[in-house]
Amino acid sequence: MTWKGPHTLTTHNVRRRVDEDKHGIYMLYNTWGGPPRYVGRSHGKNLSGRLQMRAREDDYRYFKYEYASSKTKAFEHEANLWHRHGSTIENKKHPERPHENVVCSQCNYPS
């Protein structure tokens, strides 16, 4: 997978850059080149819609994103990012599993 961005987080910019009907992971930033402040994923094939919602609701200014081949892959990548950037991100709750047969490779969540 390859990160795309950072890009300015606006609904117009998301519609222009992010394909619809794709699973994916994203990181949100307050400053260009600064640490990630939020990590997240689409919960289906709607990465573009999820980022557009974040652009309307949040105070973050920039985003990076990657596509994922499935909900499970998106969760695994998000969980790894969540563990790696735990000291800088604002979302402190562990990412939810896409289904009960998946566990976090970093901490075996939900055990």
Side-chain angles (χ1 to χ4, degrees):
M1 293 193 280
T2 303
W3 283 106
K4 295 165 182 55
H7 304 291
T8 304
L9 182 59
T10 64
T11 55
H12 172 75
N13 216 14
V14 170
R15 282 193 305 269
R16 191 168 63 111
R17 296 180 180 280
V18 182
D19 294 340
E20 297 205 11
D21 298 326
K22 299 269 186 171
H23 297 286
I25 309 97
Y26 59 90
M27 292 192 290
L28 304 177
Y29 300 81
N30 290 332
T31 58
W32 185 271
R37 302 299 293 158
Y38 191 95
V39 296
R41 74 178 191 275
S42 61
H43 293 277
K45 287 188 171 184
N46 194 12
L47 178 60
S48 178
R50 183 79 167 173
L51 281 167
Q52 288 178 55
M53 179 193 74
R54 300 308 304 233
R56 286 189 298 273
E57 296 179 354
D58 293 325
D59 293 327
Y60 302 106
R61 298 185 62 204
Y62 304 99
F63 73 102
K64 286 184 180 180
Y65 68 99
E66 285 187 335
Y67 297 119
S69 59
S70 68
K71 286 194 282 189
T72 299
K73 292 289 183 191
F75 164 76
E76 290 169 351
H77 197 161
E78 178 194 22
N80 286 334
L81 291 169
W82 185 84
H83 283 284
R84 184 181 313 143
H85 298 292
S87 65
T88 67
I89 59 174
E90 296 170 353
N91 50 326
K92 298 299 181 186
K93 185 178 175 194
H94 195 285
E96 292 295 321
R97 301 177 300 161
H99 51 79
E100 63 189 34
N101 296 330
V102 176
V103 296
C104 176
S105 64
Q106 300 289 311
C107 67
N108 292 320
Y109 174 83
S111 31

